[in-house]
Amino acid sequence: MADPITPKKLPAEAMERLNGANLNLCLTCGTCSGGCPITGTPGMEGWDTRKTLRMLAMGLIDEVVDSKFPWLCTGCGRCAAACPMGLDMPAIFGYMKHLRPRDKVPGVVHKGCQNNLDTGNNMAIPKDDYLITMADMGKEQDEDEWPGFYVPVDKQDADIFFFPNSKEVYGDFEDMLWWWKIFYAARENWTIPSENWEAVDWGLFTGNYEATRIFAQRKMDMMRKFNIKRMIMPDCGGGSYGCRNGMKMCSLDDPNNTVDWIYLYDYLKDIIEQGRIKLDKSVHAGKKFTWHDSCKHGRELQSHFGHGFFEEPRWIINQCVDDFVDMEPNSMNSFCCGAGGGMWPMPYEDESAYHGRKKYESIINSGADVVVVACSNCHDQIMKRYPKYYECNYEVKYLWELVADCLVIDPYTEEEIEKGRAEAAAQWERLGVDLDDLM
């Protein structure tokens, strides 16, 4: 017979934090555990959300903090969305991550977060390498695909501020092209920063609240420095949701500390509706498409900021294809892919793949040939991790890749082409990049 558990008194700081969550409201109904990807995970026998909440209610906070459970939480929010008492479990487990000593954070996520604080991006890519990559790829597109194109850096008075993802800058170069092609077709006045350019917030993944605040403040400071009208919220769920949280922290300190921004869904919807880009559905003929609802872009935004992006991406997809089918379940009830909360880069591949089993079933049952996503972690999970564990016969495309693939681009005039090339030459000279030395 197991020894009885003796309740403990929580430390004062934890008591104050968890009092806001009000664990005493928990009915122990198990709704949270029934919808959680962790439940039943091999190696986590005996652990589930309900038990973990009861442990915290009884003061066993050290046992929870020292366990794998908070790190296996994808932050998908299915538990909180279904909880009859409105408990915010992802926030509670995020706080458990916050309490873990930084040298005991699993895998690379703390190192990546620290890299971002120290160098402005998760992978510590040097500024010179970053600029050369942007100049080289821009020059290649100008010569081969889009005459007059270049990647504008630190452009004053731009209309749109865009933030790259370091994994794309590091090696997934092609994934940067889709947004660039859209900007080119829309003749957008856009720019990226030369410093502090990382899109993804690994402070969110590690429970580092101060880092999340700093990353958001940097973005806002740069917008003011270059007098940019609007920022596109970073496309990764962790990037956009983390940035929203960070901006919320900043505005609590100073209500005037805000900038104008737009989500990628609203931006794409706007330029389609305004006729700034033209789409040819026939490019995607013969294939069936489905949409993966990202937890952070959908359910968690709905829960914490009042609007989840469910209808907008489906509308955008239907402008690009003739054959769309929804997964079941979807929207607020959609299953997590298993990559959230830092599970894609953390050292829990088996657990992450198990978390995604229900999403895999939803994909297969839909009969779709192509899964459309709008988060880099979801993209890599479904495209790269699932095939290691499941039989996969589908393609995976970013939403903006889908749009870019069916663009009909009105040719630039000679004046537009020469203007773009002149601006590129002046910019790279200012930034110390010699275009003649590029391959």
Side-chain angles (χ1 to χ4, degrees):
M1 184 174 178
D3 294 333
I5 294 174
T6 302
K8 303 176 183 178
K9 185 175 181 178
L10 288 170
E13 179 187 342
M15 178 72 79
E16 181 180 355
R17 171 74 64 164
L18 294 177
N19 274 346
N22 203 348
L23 296 174
N24 291 326
L25 290 176
C26 177
L27 302 176
T28 69
C29 65
T31 301
C32 54
S33 298
C36 177
I38 304 177
T39 302
T41 299
M44 291 299 292
E45 292 81 2
W47 284 87
D48 59 45
T49 309
R50 174 173 57 179
K51 175 180 177 179
T52 308
L53 290 178
R54 297 318 301 156
M55 290 174 68
L56 292 174
M58 289 186 285
L60 304 181
I61 192 168
D62 291 339
E63 289 81 353
V64 175
V65 170
D66 292 340
S67 75
K68 284 201 308 186
F69 192 89
W71 301 97
L72 296 186
C73 172
T74 64
C76 72
R78 294 191 91 234
C79 52
C83 177
M85 302 308 292
L87 292 178
D88 189 355
M89 279 70 86
I92 293 170
F93 298 137
Y95 179 59
M96 297 300 105
K97 291 181 177 182
H98 174 77
L99 294 178
R100 177 76 71 92
R102 297 297 89 183
D103 61 349
K104 294 183 180 178
V105 171
V108 301
V109 286
H110 171 59
K111 181 179 179 181
C113 181
Q114 191 61 50
N115 280 343
N116 198 352
L117 289 169
D118 295 340
T119 72
N121 68 89
N122 291 341
M123 294 187 176
I125 298 169
K127 181 177 179 179
D128 286 349
D129 291 353
Y130 167 72
L131 293 177
I132 288 171
T133 296
M134 297 301 169
D136 192 20
M137 290 190 65
K139 181 180 180 182
E140 181 179 345
Q141 298 311 308
D142 168 43
E143 294 173 348
D144 298 341
E145 300 283 343
W146 317 323
F149 175 82
Y150 74 104
V151 182
V153 180
D154 295 346
K155 185 177 181 181
Q156 198 75 25
D157 302 322
D159 293 328
I160 289 293
F161 211 13
F162 188 78
F163 291 87
N165 185 318
S166 56
K167 79 178 185 67
E168 297 171 353
V169 177
Y170 181 77
D172 293 346
F173 302 126
E174 188 178 70
D175 285 345
M176 292 191 287
L177 299 180
W178 317 123
W179 272 113
W180 295 358
K181 187 176 182 180
I182 291 169
F183 293 149
Y184 180 78
R187 288 164 165 78
E188 185 61 82
N189 178 23
W190 67 289
T191 190
I192 63 173
S194 62
E195 298 176 330
N196 297 324
W197 48 262
E198 177 65 64
V200 183
D201 176 11
W202 282 10
L204 180 71
F205 297 161
T206 59
N208 190 334
Y209 301 143
E210 180 61 13
T212 288
R213 187 194 64 78
I214 290 171
F215 298 151
Q217 187 63 61
R218 285 174 174 176
K219 290 177 172 62
M220 292 193 291
D221 288 345
M222 286 187 289
M223 285 193 68
R224 296 188 185 98
K225 178 180 179 181
F226 298 111
N227 192 36
I228 299 169
K229 290 182 181 178
R230 288 194 300 181
M231 171 180 74
I232 293 182
M233 279 285 176
D235 58 61
C236 173
S240 59
Y241 185 77
C243 189
R244 282 292 298 271
N245 279 336
M247 292 171 72
K248 182 178 178 179
M249 294 180 205
C250 294
S251 64
L252 287 175
D253 295 334
D254 177 3
N256 295 316
N257 188 13
T258 61
V259 295
D260 198 6
W261 45 264
I262 187 170
Y263 269 99
L264 65 96
Y265 306 101
D266 286 333
Y267 175 79
L268 291 174
K269 192 168 184 291
D270 284 353
I271 62 174
I272 294 171
E273 289 182 324
Q274 294 164 10
R276 293 180 60 193
I277 58 174
K278 301 175 184 177
L279 305 174
D280 177 10
K281 286 186 177 184
S282 68
V283 171
H284 294 131
K287 292 182 178 180
K288 181 181 292 185
F289 295 77
T290 192
W291 167 249
H292 162 60
D293 288 291
S294 163
C295 301
K296 283 289 184 280
H297 284 169
R299 188 165 40 237
E300 284 287 87
L301 278 181
Q302 178 67 43
S303 297
H304 292 98
F305 294 99
H307 181 78
F309 288 92
F310 300 118
E311 297 307 318
E312 294 89 344
R314 288 171 169 81
W315 183 89
I316 294 165
I317 293 170
N318 279 303
Q319 310 313 302
C320 300
V321 310
D322 284 317
D323 194 356
F324 172 79
V325 60
D326 249 325
M327 295 186 210
E328 296 294 341
N330 58 66
S331 302
M332 283 294 286
N333 295 321
S334 179
F335 289 120
C336 179
C337 72
M343 282 291 282
W344 168 253
M346 280 198 291
Y348 300 123
E349 187 167 41
D350 291 346
E351 294 90 339
S352 177
Y354 185 81
H355 291 359
R357 67 198 182 280
K358 294 294 185 181
K359 174 58 65 175
Y360 167 75
E361 290 174 4
S362 293
I363 294 171
I364 298 304
N365 291 339
S366 75
D369 302 298
V370 183
V371 182
V372 185
V373 303
C375 168
S376 60
N377 287 334
C378 299
H379 178 275
D380 288 353
Q381 173 86 345
I382 296 171
M383 186 176 77
K384 298 178 182 179
R385 181 166 286 162
Y386 282 11
K388 296 181 182 180
Y389 294 83
Y390 309 108
E391 184 177 344
C392 302
N393 56 359
Y394 52 73
E395 297 177 64
V396 182
K397 286 183 179 290
Y398 286 114
L399 180 62
W400 44 96
E401 179 182 359
L402 187 76
V403 172
D405 281 345
C406 64
L407 280 172
V408 178
I409 302 177
D410 290 332
Y412 273 41
T413 65
E414 286 300 321
E415 290 78 12
E416 288 176 309
I417 294 170
E418 290 308 313
K419 180 175 182 289
R421 288 173 176 167
E423 288 177 355
Q427 169 183 281
W428 296 122
E429 181 179 7
R430 170 174 56 82
L431 293 171
V433 177
D434 191 341
L435 294 176
D436 293 331
D437 288 343
L438 300 179
M439 296 294 292

